[in-house]
mmCIF file of all heavy atoms in Angstrom:
data_model
loop_
_atom_site.group_PDB
_atom_site.id
_atom_site.type_symbol
_atom_site.label_atom_id
_atom_site.label_comp_id
_atom_site.label_asym_id
_atom_site.label_seq_id
_atom_site.Cartn_x
_atom_site.Cartn_y
_atom_site.Cartn_z
ATOM 1 N N ALA A 212 0.867 -1.192 -0.002
ATOM 2 C CA ALA A 212 -0.042 -0.047 -0.030
ATOM 3 C C ALA A 212 0.848 1.249 -0.020
ATOM 4 O O ALA A 212 0.580 2.253 -0.673
ATOM 5 C CB ALA A 212 -0.936 -0.058 1.227
ATOM 6 N N ALA A 213 1.911 1.246 0.838
ATOM 7 C CA ALA A 213 2.785 2.383 0.867
ATOM 8 C C ALA A 213 3.499 2.592 -0.408
ATOM 9 O O ALA A 213 3.687 3.818 -0.952
ATOM 10 C CB ALA A 213 3.798 2.233 2.004
ATOM 11 N N ALA A 214 3.951 1.486 -1.117
ATOM 12 C CA ALA A 214 4.636 1.612 -2.398
ATOM 13 C C ALA A 214 3.644 2.139 -3.439
ATOM 14 O O ALA A 214 4.058 2.986 -4.215
ATOM 15 C CB ALA A 214 5.111 0.219 -2.880
ATOM 16 N N TRP A 215 2.415 1.764 -3.470
ATOM 17 C CA TRP A 215 1.472 2.144 -4.460
ATOM 18 C C TRP A 215 1.160 3.678 -4.181
ATOM 19 O O TRP A 215 1.158 4.436 -5.087
ATOM 20 C CB TRP A 215 0.086 1.414 -4.362
ATOM 21 C CG TRP A 215 -0.777 1.558 -5.457
ATOM 22 C CD1 TRP A 215 -0.831 0.782 -6.732
ATOM 23 C CD2 TRP A 215 -1.679 2.605 -5.780
ATOM 24 N NE1 TRP A 215 -1.692 1.249 -7.528
ATOM 25 C CE2 TRP A 215 -2.325 2.365 -7.080
ATOM 26 C CE3 TRP A 215 -2.154 3.713 -5.083
ATOM 27 C CZ2 TRP A 215 -3.233 3.151 -7.610
ATOM 28 C CZ3 TRP A 215 -3.057 4.562 -5.716
ATOM 29 C CH2 TRP A 215 -3.665 4.190 -6.863
ATOM 30 N N TRP A 216 1.016 4.061 -2.859
ATOM 31 C CA TRP A 216 0.838 5.484 -2.606
ATOM 32 C C TRP A 216 2.002 6.309 -3.132
ATOM 33 O O TRP A 216 1.812 7.400 -3.767
ATOM 34 C CB TRP A 216 0.675 5.736 -1.075
ATOM 35 C CG TRP A 216 0.315 7.049 -0.654
ATOM 36 C CD1 TRP A 216 -0.953 7.451 -0.421
ATOM 37 C CD2 TRP A 216 1.160 8.167 -0.505
ATOM 38 N NE1 TRP A 216 -0.999 8.772 -0.138
ATOM 39 C CE2 TRP A 216 0.203 9.240 -0.162
ATOM 40 C CE3 TRP A 216 2.545 8.351 -0.552
ATOM 41 C CZ2 TRP A 216 0.855 10.584 0.056
ATOM 42 C CZ3 TRP A 216 2.983 9.668 -0.361
ATOM 43 C CH2 TRP A 216 2.161 10.694 -0.016
ATOM 44 N N LEU A 217 3.249 5.917 -2.861
ATOM 45 C CA LEU A 217 4.386 6.673 -3.378
ATOM 46 C C LEU A 217 4.418 6.787 -4.876
ATOM 47 O O LEU A 217 4.773 7.791 -5.409
ATOM 48 C CB LEU A 217 5.727 5.986 -2.821
ATOM 49 C CG LEU A 217 5.870 6.162 -1.334
ATOM 50 C CD1 LEU A 217 6.995 5.363 -0.806
ATOM 51 C CD2 LEU A 217 6.058 7.726 -1.017
ATOM 52 N N LEU A 218 4.104 5.686 -5.514
ATOM 53 C CA LEU A 218 4.170 5.682 -7.039
ATOM 54 C C LEU A 218 3.029 6.617 -7.573
ATOM 55 O O LEU A 218 3.320 7.302 -8.544
ATOM 56 C CB LEU A 218 4.089 4.256 -7.463
ATOM 57 C CG LEU A 218 5.222 3.210 -7.310
ATOM 58 C CD1 LEU A 218 4.926 1.914 -7.669
ATOM 59 C CD2 LEU A 218 6.367 3.774 -8.050
ATOM 60 N N ARG A 219 1.931 6.533 -6.880
ATOM 61 C CA ARG A 219 0.820 7.412 -7.300
ATOM 62 C C ARG A 219 1.184 8.826 -7.159
ATOM 63 O O ARG A 219 0.975 9.759 -8.075
ATOM 64 C CB ARG A 219 -0.452 7.057 -6.592
ATOM 65 C CG ARG A 219 -1.643 7.904 -6.792
ATOM 66 C CD ARG A 219 -2.648 7.875 -5.810
ATOM 67 N NE ARG A 219 -3.771 8.756 -6.057
ATOM 68 C CZ ARG A 219 -4.775 8.983 -5.227
ATOM 69 N NH1 ARG A 219 -4.682 8.583 -3.956
ATOM 70 N NH2 ARG A 219 -5.781 9.765 -5.545
ATOM 71 N N ASP A 220 1.831 9.141 -6.001
ATOM 72 C CA ASP A 220 2.228 10.505 -5.710
ATOM 73 C C ASP A 220 3.244 11.015 -6.686
ATOM 74 O O ASP A 220 3.158 12.174 -7.227
ATOM 75 C CB ASP A 220 2.809 10.587 -4.351
ATOM 76 C CG ASP A 220 3.425 11.968 -3.963
ATOM 77 O OD1 ASP A 220 2.636 12.887 -3.769
ATOM 78 O OD2 ASP A 220 4.692 12.030 -3.817
ATOM 79 N N ARG A 221 4.261 10.172 -7.096
ATOM 80 C CA ARG A 221 5.192 10.504 -8.132
ATOM 81 C C ARG A 221 4.589 10.822 -9.372
ATOM 82 O O ARG A 221 5.004 11.688 -10.159
ATOM 83 C CB ARG A 221 6.312 9.363 -8.170
ATOM 84 C CG ARG A 221 7.347 9.755 -9.141
ATOM 85 C CD ARG A 221 8.367 8.566 -9.177
ATOM 86 N NE ARG A 221 9.017 8.182 -7.933
ATOM 87 C CZ ARG A 221 9.746 7.183 -7.663
ATOM 88 N NH1 ARG A 221 10.043 6.332 -8.702
ATOM 89 N NH2 ARG A 221 10.265 6.963 -6.434
ATOM 90 N N ALA A 222 3.627 9.800 -9.789
ATOM 91 C CA ALA A 222 2.982 10.009 -11.135
ATOM 92 C C ALA A 222 2.192 11.335 -11.169
ATOM 93 O O ALA A 222 2.052 12.026 -12.215
ATOM 94 C CB ALA A 222 2.166 8.844 -11.412
ATOM 95 N N ILE A 223 1.518 11.674 -10.090
ATOM 96 C CA ILE A 223 0.767 12.921 -10.101
ATOM 97 C C ILE A 223 1.715 14.156 -10.289
ATOM 98 O O ILE A 223 1.338 15.079 -11.004
ATOM 99 C CB ILE A 223 -0.104 13.023 -8.812
ATOM 100 C CG1 ILE A 223 -1.176 11.986 -8.651
ATOM 101 C CG2 ILE A 223 -0.680 14.410 -8.585
ATOM 102 C CD1 ILE A 223 -1.950 11.877 -7.380
ATOM 103 N N ARG A 224 2.749 14.055 -9.586
ATOM 104 C CA ARG A 224 3.638 15.198 -9.733
ATOM 105 C C ARG A 224 4.366 15.242 -11.078
ATOM 106 O O ARG A 224 5.000 16.299 -11.362
ATOM 107 C CB ARG A 224 4.813 15.075 -8.644
ATOM 108 C CG ARG A 224 4.174 15.189 -7.175
ATOM 109 C CD ARG A 224 5.187 14.905 -6.164
ATOM 110 N NE ARG A 224 4.556 14.941 -4.766
ATOM 111 C CZ ARG A 224 4.507 16.113 -4.135
ATOM 112 N NH1 ARG A 224 5.012 17.233 -4.636
ATOM 113 N NH2 ARG A 224 3.892 16.210 -2.923
ATOM 114 N N THR A 225 4.281 14.249 -11.891
ATOM 115 C CA THR A 225 4.866 14.333 -13.199
ATOM 116 C C THR A 225 3.747 14.362 -14.280
ATOM 117 O O THR A 225 3.931 14.239 -15.504
ATOM 118 C CB THR A 225 5.621 13.010 -13.524
ATOM 119 O OG1 THR A 225 4.870 11.835 -13.282
ATOM 120 C CG2 THR A 225 6.936 12.928 -12.639
ATOM 121 N N GLY A 226 2.531 14.859 -13.885
ATOM 122 C CA GLY A 226 1.548 15.144 -14.796
ATOM 123 C C GLY A 226 0.324 14.170 -14.975
ATOM 124 O O GLY A 226 -0.512 14.493 -15.733
ATOM 125 N N ARG A 227 0.311 13.259 -14.051
ATOM 126 C CA ARG A 227 -0.866 12.261 -14.160
ATOM 127 C C ARG A 227 -1.978 12.797 -13.302
ATOM 128 O O ARG A 227 -2.273 12.312 -12.228
ATOM 129 C CB ARG A 227 -0.476 10.869 -13.637
ATOM 130 C CG ARG A 227 0.468 10.113 -14.593
ATOM 131 C CD ARG A 227 -0.304 9.681 -15.844
ATOM 132 N NE ARG A 227 -1.454 8.888 -15.558
ATOM 133 C CZ ARG A 227 -1.544 7.595 -15.305
ATOM 134 N NH1 ARG A 227 -0.379 6.899 -15.323
ATOM 135 N NH2 ARG A 227 -2.659 6.890 -15.020
ATOM 136 N N ASP A 228 -2.625 13.825 -13.810
ATOM 137 C CA ASP A 228 -3.670 14.478 -13.015
ATOM 138 C C ASP A 228 -4.911 13.521 -12.763
ATOM 139 O O ASP A 228 -5.611 13.688 -11.709
ATOM 140 C CB ASP A 228 -4.210 15.801 -13.682
ATOM 141 C CG ASP A 228 -3.128 16.856 -13.796
ATOM 142 O OD1 ASP A 228 -2.193 16.791 -12.900
ATOM 143 O OD2 ASP A 228 -3.247 17.748 -14.653
ATOM 144 N N ASP A 229 -4.958 12.562 -13.723
ATOM 145 C CA ASP A 229 -6.184 11.625 -13.399
ATOM 146 C C ASP A 229 -6.025 10.789 -12.275
ATOM 147 O O ASP A 229 -7.005 10.496 -11.587
ATOM 148 C CB ASP A 229 -6.181 10.679 -14.727
ATOM 149 C CG ASP A 229 -4.901 9.849 -14.918
ATOM 150 O OD1 ASP A 229 -3.870 10.550 -14.943
ATOM 151 O OD2 ASP A 229 -4.978 8.611 -15.065
ATOM 152 N N LEU A 230 -4.813 10.641 -11.706
ATOM 153 C CA LEU A 230 -4.684 9.869 -10.517
ATOM 154 C C LEU A 230 -4.919 10.713 -9.204
ATOM 155 O O LEU A 230 -5.098 10.207 -8.206
ATOM 156 C CB LEU A 230 -3.119 9.414 -10.401
ATOM 157 C CG LEU A 230 -2.777 8.410 -11.439
ATOM 158 C CD1 LEU A 230 -1.308 8.014 -11.361
ATOM 159 C CD2 LEU A 230 -3.584 7.121 -11.384
ATOM 160 N N ALA A 231 -5.231 11.905 -9.407
ATOM 161 C CA ALA A 231 -5.491 12.842 -8.309
ATOM 162 C C ALA A 231 -7.044 12.903 -8.028
ATOM 163 O O ALA A 231 -7.506 13.485 -7.037
ATOM 164 C CB ALA A 231 -5.026 14.265 -8.498
ATOM 165 N N ASP A 232 -7.841 12.245 -8.828
ATOM 166 C CA ASP A 232 -9.208 12.283 -8.644
ATOM 167 C C ASP A 232 -9.772 11.585 -7.430
ATOM 168 O O ASP A 232 -9.083 10.557 -7.056
ATOM 169 C CB ASP A 232 -9.902 11.670 -9.919
ATOM 170 C CG ASP A 232 -11.381 11.917 -9.961
ATOM 171 O OD1 ASP A 232 -11.835 13.078 -10.188
ATOM 172 O OD2 ASP A 232 -12.139 10.983 -9.619
ATOM 173 N N GLU A 233 -10.810 12.022 -6.930
ATOM 174 C CA GLU A 233 -11.440 11.355 -5.643
ATOM 175 C C GLU A 233 -11.786 9.904 -5.894
ATOM 176 O O GLU A 233 -11.621 9.109 -5.019
ATOM 177 C CB GLU A 233 -12.666 12.135 -5.257
ATOM 178 C CG GLU A 233 -12.425 13.570 -4.761
ATOM 179 C CD GLU A 233 -13.770 14.210 -4.572
ATOM 180 O OE1 GLU A 233 -14.807 13.564 -4.694
ATOM 181 O OE2 GLU A 233 -13.788 15.382 -4.186
ATOM 182 N N THR A 234 -12.227 9.626 -7.168
ATOM 183 C CA THR A 234 -12.619 8.271 -7.374
ATOM 184 C C THR A 234 -11.461 7.236 -7.359
ATOM 185 O O THR A 234 -11.655 6.179 -6.749
ATOM 186 C CB THR A 234 -13.227 8.146 -8.877
ATOM 187 O OG1 THR A 234 -14.339 9.091 -8.917
ATOM 188 C CG2 THR A 234 -13.686 6.821 -9.227
ATOM 189 N N VAL A 235 -10.328 7.761 -7.776
ATOM 190 C CA VAL A 235 -9.146 6.843 -7.651
ATOM 191 C C VAL A 235 -8.743 6.519 -6.194
ATOM 192 O O VAL A 235 -8.433 5.482 -5.853
ATOM 193 C CB VAL A 235 -7.920 7.401 -8.378
ATOM 194 C CG1 VAL A 235 -6.548 6.641 -8.203
ATOM 195 C CG2 VAL A 235 -8.234 7.600 -9.805
ATOM 196 N N ALA A 236 -8.908 7.583 -5.374
ATOM 197 C CA ALA A 236 -8.620 7.572 -3.826
ATOM 198 C C ALA A 236 -9.636 6.464 -3.248
ATOM 199 O O ALA A 236 -9.192 5.588 -2.491
ATOM 200 C CB ALA A 236 -8.854 8.821 -3.195
ATOM 201 N N ARG A 237 -10.834 6.538 -3.631
ATOM 202 C CA ARG A 237 -11.850 5.665 -3.062
ATOM 203 C C ARG A 237 -11.570 4.179 -3.597
ATOM 204 O O ARG A 237 -11.753 3.233 -2.912
ATOM 205 C CB ARG A 237 -13.113 6.030 -3.394
ATOM 206 C CG ARG A 237 -13.569 7.470 -2.785
ATOM 207 C CD ARG A 237 -14.988 7.829 -3.015
ATOM 208 N NE ARG A 237 -15.204 9.194 -2.503
ATOM 209 C CZ ARG A 237 -15.254 10.312 -3.290
ATOM 210 N NH1 ARG A 237 -15.235 10.129 -4.595
ATOM 211 N NH2 ARG A 237 -15.593 11.422 -2.695
ATOM 212 N N ASP A 238 -11.267 4.066 -4.883
ATOM 213 C CA ASP A 238 -10.879 2.715 -5.382
ATOM 214 C C ASP A 238 -9.653 2.133 -4.590
ATOM 215 O O ASP A 238 -9.626 0.956 -4.323
ATOM 216 C CB ASP A 238 -10.564 2.913 -6.908
ATOM 217 C CG ASP A 238 -11.788 3.203 -7.783
ATOM 218 O OD1 ASP A 238 -12.925 3.051 -7.200
ATOM 219 O OD2 ASP A 238 -11.592 3.446 -9.019
ATOM 220 N N PHE A 239 -8.738 2.952 -4.403
ATOM 221 C CA PHE A 239 -7.532 2.404 -3.775
ATOM 222 C C PHE A 239 -7.863 1.968 -2.350
ATOM 223 O O PHE A 239 -7.484 0.798 -1.891
ATOM 224 C CB PHE A 239 -6.464 3.608 -3.642
ATOM 225 C CG PHE A 239 -5.225 3.180 -2.951
ATOM 226 C CD1 PHE A 239 -4.712 1.904 -3.094
ATOM 227 C CD2 PHE A 239 -4.476 4.005 -2.139
ATOM 228 C CE1 PHE A 239 -3.470 1.572 -2.496
ATOM 229 C CE2 PHE A 239 -3.345 3.676 -1.530
ATOM 230 C CZ PHE A 239 -2.797 2.401 -1.684
ATOM 231 N N VAL A 240 -8.691 2.672 -1.630
ATOM 232 C CA VAL A 240 -9.127 2.300 -0.170
ATOM 233 C C VAL A 240 -9.894 0.941 -0.344
ATOM 234 O O VAL A 240 -9.707 -0.045 0.460
ATOM 235 C CB VAL A 240 -9.933 3.398 0.450
ATOM 236 C CG1 VAL A 240 -10.473 2.875 1.751
ATOM 237 C CG2 VAL A 240 -8.962 4.604 0.667
ATOM 238 N N PHE A 241 -10.811 0.864 -1.262
ATOM 239 C CA PHE A 241 -11.564 -0.337 -1.453
ATOM 240 C C PHE A 241 -10.581 -1.566 -1.704
ATOM 241 O O PHE A 241 -10.824 -2.628 -1.145
ATOM 242 C CB PHE A 241 -12.582 -0.191 -2.557
ATOM 243 C CG PHE A 241 -13.320 -1.431 -2.984
ATOM 244 C CD1 PHE A 241 -14.129 -2.030 -1.986
ATOM 245 C CD2 PHE A 241 -13.461 -1.847 -4.245
ATOM 246 C CE1 PHE A 241 -14.984 -3.166 -2.276
ATOM 247 C CE2 PHE A 241 -14.195 -3.008 -4.583
ATOM 248 C CZ PHE A 241 -14.959 -3.570 -3.612
ATOM 249 N N ALA A 242 -9.743 -1.375 -2.594
ATOM 250 C CA ALA A 242 -8.845 -2.451 -2.929
ATOM 251 C C ALA A 242 -7.980 -2.869 -1.787
ATOM 252 O O ALA A 242 -7.671 -4.104 -1.513
ATOM 253 C CB ALA A 242 -7.920 -2.152 -4.142
ATOM 254 N N LEU A 243 -7.551 -1.905 -1.062
ATOM 255 C CA LEU A 243 -6.741 -2.073 0.052
ATOM 256 C C LEU A 243 -7.400 -2.871 1.304
ATOM 257 O O LEU A 243 -6.942 -3.914 1.810
ATOM 258 C CB LEU A 243 -6.204 -0.805 0.788
ATOM 259 C CG LEU A 243 -5.195 -0.905 1.804
ATOM 260 C CD1 LEU A 243 -3.961 -1.708 1.540
ATOM 261 C CD2 LEU A 243 -4.753 0.563 2.321
ATOM 262 N N VAL A 244 -8.717 -2.504 1.453
ATOM 263 C CA VAL A 244 -9.469 -3.303 2.515
ATOM 264 C C VAL A 244 -9.707 -4.742 1.891
ATOM 265 O O VAL A 244 -9.649 -5.618 2.669
ATOM 266 C CB VAL A 244 -10.826 -2.566 2.661
ATOM 267 C CG1 VAL A 244 -11.719 -3.366 3.564
ATOM 268 C CG2 VAL A 244 -10.594 -1.275 3.411
ATOM 269 N N LEU A 245 -10.081 -4.839 0.696
ATOM 270 C CA LEU A 245 -10.236 -6.190 0.098
ATOM 271 C C LEU A 245 -8.919 -7.065 0.325
ATOM 272 O O LEU A 245 -9.019 -8.310 0.674
ATOM 273 C CB LEU A 245 -10.462 -6.094 -1.416
ATOM 274 C CG LEU A 245 -11.916 -5.989 -1.851
ATOM 275 C CD1 LEU A 245 -11.963 -5.782 -3.347
ATOM 276 C CD2 LEU A 245 -12.890 -7.078 -1.366
ATOM 277 N N LEU A 246 -7.785 -6.393 -0.002
ATOM 278 C CA LEU A 246 -6.504 -7.141 0.209
ATOM 279 C C LEU A 246 -6.298 -7.550 1.635
ATOM 280 O O LEU A 246 -5.747 -8.600 1.970
ATOM 281 C CB LEU A 246 -5.359 -6.213 -0.238
ATOM 282 C CG LEU A 246 -3.973 -6.878 -0.566
ATOM 283 C CD1 LEU A 246 -4.302 -8.056 -1.569
ATOM 284 C CD2 LEU A 246 -3.098 -5.844 -1.079
ATOM 285 N N PHE A 247 -6.647 -6.709 2.647
ATOM 286 C CA PHE A 247 -6.499 -7.093 3.979
ATOM 287 C C PHE A 247 -7.484 -8.202 4.383
ATOM 288 O O PHE A 247 -7.096 -9.073 5.164
ATOM 289 C CB PHE A 247 -6.702 -5.827 4.910
ATOM 290 C CG PHE A 247 -5.408 -5.196 5.268
ATOM 291 C CD1 PHE A 247 -5.040 -4.059 4.562
ATOM 292 C CD2 PHE A 247 -4.626 -5.612 6.317
ATOM 293 C CE1 PHE A 247 -3.817 -3.401 4.897
ATOM 294 C CE2 PHE A 247 -3.381 -4.924 6.603
ATOM 295 C CZ PHE A 247 -3.116 -3.842 5.952
ATOM 296 N N VAL A 248 -8.636 -8.187 3.894
ATOM 297 C CA VAL A 248 -9.568 -9.256 4.176
ATOM 298 C C VAL A 248 -9.104 -10.518 3.537
ATOM 299 O O VAL A 248 -9.143 -11.655 4.269
ATOM 300 C CB VAL A 248 -11.014 -8.895 3.642
ATOM 301 C CG1 VAL A 248 -11.936 -10.180 3.587
ATOM 302 C CG2 VAL A 248 -11.572 -7.736 4.386
ATOM 303 N N ALA A 249 -8.651 -10.476 2.391
ATOM 304 C CA ALA A 249 -8.099 -11.734 1.699
ATOM 305 C C ALA A 249 -6.931 -12.435 2.416
ATOM 306 O O ALA A 249 -6.692 -13.568 2.342
ATOM 307 C CB ALA A 249 -7.679 -11.429 0.275
ATOM 308 N N THR A 250 -6.106 -11.517 3.074
ATOM 309 C CA THR A 250 -4.947 -12.103 3.824
ATOM 310 C C THR A 250 -5.110 -12.142 5.384
ATOM 311 O O THR A 250 -4.237 -12.289 6.119
ATOM 312 C CB THR A 250 -3.724 -11.252 3.545
ATOM 313 O OG1 THR A 250 -3.956 -9.789 3.873
ATOM 314 C CG2 THR A 250 -3.380 -11.189 2.076
ATOM 315 N N SER A 251 -6.365 -12.080 5.740
ATOM 316 C CA SER A 251 -6.686 -11.984 7.249
ATOM 317 C C SER A 251 -6.896 -13.491 7.684
ATOM 318 O O SER A 251 -7.428 -14.321 6.961
ATOM 319 C CB SER A 251 -7.938 -11.176 7.506
ATOM 320 O OG SER A 251 -8.374 -11.400 8.938
ATOM 321 N N ARG A 252 -6.618 -13.704 8.953
ATOM 322 C CA ARG A 252 -6.885 -14.961 9.647
ATOM 323 C C ARG A 252 -8.279 -15.172 9.895
ATOM 324 O O ARG A 252 -8.798 -16.282 10.135
ATOM 325 C CB ARG A 252 -6.100 -15.140 10.950
ATOM 326 C CG ARG A 252 -4.643 -15.103 10.775
ATOM 327 C CD ARG A 252 -4.068 -14.739 12.133
ATOM 328 N NE ARG A 252 -4.403 -13.447 12.693
ATOM 329 C CZ ARG A 252 -4.225 -12.969 13.822
ATOM 330 N NH1 ARG A 252 -3.684 -13.795 14.769
ATOM 331 N NH2 ARG A 252 -4.567 -11.734 14.223
ATOM 332 N N VAL A 253 -9.039 -14.008 9.864
ATOM 333 C CA VAL A 253 -10.494 -13.976 10.220
ATOM 334 C C VAL A 253 -11.326 -13.414 9.172
ATOM 335 O O VAL A 253 -10.947 -12.414 8.534
ATOM 336 C CB VAL A 253 -10.572 -13.127 11.536
ATOM 337 C CG1 VAL A 253 -11.994 -13.060 12.044
ATOM 338 C CG2 VAL A 253 -9.722 -13.541 12.694
ATOM 339 N N LEU A 254 -12.468 -14.069 8.896
ATOM 340 C CA LEU A 254 -13.459 -13.461 8.069
ATOM 341 C C LEU A 254 -14.825 -13.721 8.615
ATOM 342 O O LEU A 254 -15.576 -14.558 8.177
ATOM 343 C CB LEU A 254 -13.305 -14.003 6.610
ATOM 344 C CG LEU A 254 -13.790 -13.101 5.460
ATOM 345 C CD1 LEU A 254 -13.449 -13.748 4.106
ATOM 346 C CD2 LEU A 254 -15.234 -12.762 5.518
ATOM 347 N N SER A 255 -15.201 -13.027 9.667
ATOM 348 C CA SER A 255 -16.371 -13.114 10.324
ATOM 349 C C SER A 255 -17.488 -12.668 9.326
ATOM 350 O O SER A 255 -17.334 -11.797 8.563
ATOM 351 C CB SER A 255 -16.476 -12.386 11.648
ATOM 352 O OG SER A 255 -15.486 -12.997 12.503
ATOM 353 N N PRO A 256 -18.696 -13.175 9.444
ATOM 354 C CA PRO A 256 -19.734 -12.848 8.543
ATOM 355 C C PRO A 256 -20.149 -11.337 8.551
ATOM 356 O O PRO A 256 -20.458 -10.791 7.517
ATOM 357 C CB PRO A 256 -20.984 -13.606 9.027
ATOM 358 C CG PRO A 256 -20.679 -14.098 10.363
ATOM 359 C CD PRO A 256 -19.145 -14.308 10.351
ATOM 360 N N GLN A 257 -20.001 -10.661 9.654
ATOM 361 C CA GLN A 257 -20.152 -9.308 9.821
ATOM 362 C C GLN A 257 -19.239 -8.357 8.934
ATOM 363 O O GLN A 257 -19.572 -7.223 8.697
ATOM 364 C CB GLN A 257 -20.272 -8.738 11.221
ATOM 365 C CG GLN A 257 -19.037 -8.900 11.983
ATOM 366 C CD GLN A 257 -18.914 -10.188 12.733
ATOM 367 O OE1 GLN A 257 -19.623 -11.156 12.378
ATOM 368 N NE2 GLN A 257 -18.195 -10.164 13.805
#
């Protein structure tokens, strides 16, 4: 997650304005939570 954040930050600073959009931020958080659930010891129904 930290590596993706840094790469995104660098890309934005070199002209990738599309990566600065709110939608990309929400997508990233959604993917990150999914990744933590997939690698978790626990997946309670709630």
Side-chain angles (χ1 to χ4, degrees):
W215 198 94
W216 188 95
L217 289 171
L218 291 173
R219 178 196 182 196
D220 177 69
R221 180 183 302 175
I223 291 173
R224 293 170 183 275
T225 56
R227 288 291 304 277
D228 293 340
D229 57 311
L230 294 177
D232 189 72
E233 296 175 6
T234 300
V235 177
R237 299 185 185 103
D238 285 353
F239 180 36
V240 172
F241 176 56
L243 186 55
V244 174
L245 275 176
L246 197 54
F247 266 97
V248 169
T250 56
S251 174
R252 298 163 295 166
V253 181
L254 208 173
S255 298
Q257 61 266 27

